Amino acid sequence: MIRRHVHVRGLVQGVYYRDTCRRLADETGVSGWVRNLHNGDVEAVFEGAPGDVQRLVGWASVGPGAAEVAECRAVAEDPEGDQDFRVLDDAPAA
C-alpha cells in the first residue's frame, strides 16, 4: 500500500473533477478523499496498491475533459488505512 497527497492547480472546479475522481477511485479500489480548496485548486489523497494509486495520480495531472490542469504535485505519505473514497466538503478559507 502507498499513499499520495495531491494538489492540483488550474481550471479544476466546476468541471466534474471531484465526481470523476471519485468514480475512478471506486473503479480501481483506491481509497482516500478529494475536495475543492477555497482558492480554486483541488486537493486529494489516494491510498492503495502502487499501480492503482499511480494511475489516479496520472489522471489527476490531466483531469476530466473540461479541466485545464496547470500543475499537479504529488507527495508521498505514510498509509493511514483509509477504507473508502469520499468527496469532502470544500476546505474552509484560510
Side-chain angles (χ1 to χ4, degrees):
M1 297 288 277
I2 65 170
R3 181 181 179 98
R4 297 293 180 267
H5 193 142
V6 178
H7 187 109
V8 185
R9 195 174 56 75
L11 176 60
V12 292
Q13 290 188 19
V15 294
Y16 295 99
Y17 196 100
R18 293 176 301 161
D19 186 59
T20 306
C21 184
R22 179 203 46 81
R23 185 175 43 81
L24 290 172
D26 287 346
E27 288 174 6
T28 58
V30 169
S31 59
W33 51 265
V34 62
R35 69 179 174 183
N36 287 337
L37 298 177
H38 190 64
N39 66 356
D41 296 352
V42 169
E43 178 183 31
V45 166
F46 305 128
E47 185 171 317
D52 295 334
V53 169
Q54 286 307 116
R55 177 179 173 205
L56 265 290
V57 170
W59 174 85
S61 68
V62 178
E68 295 177 19
V69 175
E71 180 181 13
C72 178
R73 290 180 284 129
V75 176
E77 295 182 342
D78 292 332
E80 294 183 5
D82 288 341
Q83 298 299 310
D84 59 0
F85 196 89
R86 302 166 318 280
V87 175
L88 301 181
D89 292 335
D90 294 356

